[in-house]
Amino acid sequence: MKQQAVDDRRLLALPALLLGGAGTLMQAIHEGVEQRGFTGVRPAHGFAFVRLAPDGASIAEVAEHLGVTKQAASQLVEELLRRGYVRVEPHPRDARAKLVTLTERGWACTRAADEAALEAVRAWAGELGVDRVEELAADLARVARPGRLRPLW
Amino acid sequence: MKQQAVDDRRLLALPALLLGGAGTLMQAIHEGVEQRGFTGVRPAHGFAFVRLAPDGASIAEVAEHLGVTKQAASQLVEELLRRGYVRVEPHPRDARAKLVTLTERGWACTRAADEAALEAVRAWAGELGVDRVEELAADLARVARPGRLRPLW
DNA sequence: CAGAATCGACAGTTTCCTTGACTATTTTAG
DNA sequence: CTAAAATAGTCAAGGAAACTGTCGATTCTG
């Protein structure tokens, strides 16, 4: 039990660091995307792009992915449509649904986000070394169950 | 340049994992705190507790810590007051200001959050080993400059 | 094929944060 | 030492982004 207490103290630092690191990273990505000329894009949009990227998705699928209601997803998609990041077509297999896919501008924004993220992580690799960063990623991959990629809580 | 491209691919996984891991952790903490009987406590409250914990803080200091306006911080403090997590007294050195400090209930909630976080991280330690988790924390500590601990965006 | 489930939209509401204007106090400059 | 500027906090109004509830249209299920 005493050993347990010691371990606890060693473990207690991680949550704050993880939350802080994620916040820092998100901020860096957000700023990087803006600097590359994609203004008015919120992180929630970026998380939506992840789901839309491969082959598009329905609004309900976007909602499920973000962990919000269909109404919220619908609004978000409409905003992305207005800004030219996505196109919305009738779904080929379901007349009730709409198929939302990225436009070229949407893809460009996605690439910009990747670049911005990479820029931040490259700085870390310079500090820790590429191998250490890769280990970090491997460790996280084992513990971070990729549930919903929610913007927030 | 080619090596650079290879490294990039190896690094590109980290951002999503870090964001996902942080989200998972936040969710776990939030649920753990609720299960321990502290209902209606949002993560933003938890971040405020961090600032209040040592010796209390003024409303403006809470605002600065959270990265929101004084008005928002004022409202948040009032809510914490209603729920019994903090007490508000006149500031001993500045008649304009209020000194906000945690009540015993506030401290209990803080401990509950620590326990919930620990519970999650202990599960990781079981998966990776304590030493590996500690390395993880050490790496993160070197790269994650603890800016504002915002709930954010 | 009839009932249940699902897709998305409309309307109204809530929550949380913002800007702007204001008073009271403290700090700074002349 | 006082007049001006800065700061602490509040009130009021408004907006962004989510929510619930309801609905018509379509698809799935038994």
Side-chain angles (χ1 to χ4, degrees):
Chain A
M1 277 301 109
K2 187 169 183 189
Q3 186 55 48
Q4 186 65 54
V6 171
D7 285 351
D8 283 356
R9 267 198 295 282
R10 294 167 67 196
L11 295 177
L12 202 46
L14 184 54
L17 288 167
L18 192 56
L19 263 40
T24 301
L25 178 62
M26 194 144 52
Q27 188 77 20
I29 293 174
H30 185 239
E31 285 168 7
V33 168
E34 268 197 338
Q35 277 175 7
R36 287 168 174 77
F38 300 94
T39 58
V41 180
R42 287 176 290 125
H45 298 152
F47 289 116
F49 287 178
V50 171
R51 182 64 182 82
L52 298 174
D55 300 297
S58 71
I59 288 183
E61 285 167 338
V62 171
E64 165 68 16
H65 178 73
L66 296 179
V68 299
T69 58
K70 287 186 297 179
Q71 291 87 331
S74 181
Q75 232 174 286
L76 188 143
V77 165
E78 195 193 347
E79 192 182 339
L80 290 176
L81 180 63
R82 273 203 319 274
R83 292 179 187 274
Y85 292 109
V86 303
R87 82 178 61 85
V88 179
E89 300 154 310
H91 198 291
R93 313 184 99 81
D94 188 337
R96 296 169 302 178
K98 295 177 173 181
L99 182 61
V100 186
T101 53
L102 292 179
T103 59
E104 178 45 44
R105 179 171 170 77
W107 282 105
C109 184
T110 299
R111 287 192 296 270
D114 279 350
E115 280 170 31
L118 212 42
E119 199 171 274
V121 177
R122 262 203 289 262
W124 300 0
E127 179 80 13
L128 302 175
V130 173
D131 292 341
R132 195 78 184 259
V133 170
E134 201 177 0
E135 278 181 55
L136 197 72
D139 286 350
L140 282 173
R142 289 178 61 191
V143 297
R145 296 279 160 274
R148 253 188 229 94
L149 196 52
R150 285 206 76 178
L152 44 102
W153 45 79
Chain B
M1 278 299 110
K2 187 171 187 188
Q3 186 56 50
Q4 186 66 52
V6 171
D7 285 354
D8 282 356
R9 267 197 296 280
R10 294 167 69 195
L11 295 177
L12 201 46
L14 185 54
L17 288 167
L18 192 56
L19 263 40
T24 301
L25 178 63
M26 195 144 53
Q27 188 78 17
I29 294 174
H30 184 240
E31 285 168 8
V33 168
E34 269 196 340
Q35 275 175 7
R36 280 160 235 264
F38 300 94
T39 58
V41 180
R42 287 176 292 123
H45 299 152
F47 290 117
F49 287 178
V50 172
R51 183 64 182 80
L52 298 175
D55 301 298
S58 70
I59 288 183
E61 285 166 340
V62 172
E64 165 69 16
H65 178 71
L66 295 179
V68 299
T69 58
K70 286 185 299 178
Q71 291 89 328
S74 181
Q75 242 174 277
L76 187 143
V77 165
E78 194 192 349
E79 192 182 339
L80 291 177
L81 180 63
R82 273 203 319 272
R83 292 179 187 273
Y85 292 109
V86 302
R87 83 177 61 83
V88 179
E89 300 153 310
H91 198 290
R93 314 183 98 81
D94 188 337
R96 296 168 303 179
K98 295 177 172 182
L99 182 61
V100 185
T101 52
L102 291 179
T103 59
E104 179 44 45
R105 180 169 168 77
W107 282 106
C109 184
T110 299
R111 286 192 297 271
D114 279 350
E115 280 170 33
L118 212 42
E119 200 171 273
V121 177
R122 262 203 290 262
W124 300 1
E127 178 81 15
L128 302 174
V130 173
D131 293 341
R132 194 81 185 258
V133 170
E134 203 177 357
E135 278 182 55
L136 196 72
D139 287 349
L140 281 174
R142 290 178 61 191
V143 297
R145 292 283 155 269
R148 248 189 233 95
L149 197 50
R150 284 206 76 179
L152 90 93
W153 71 66

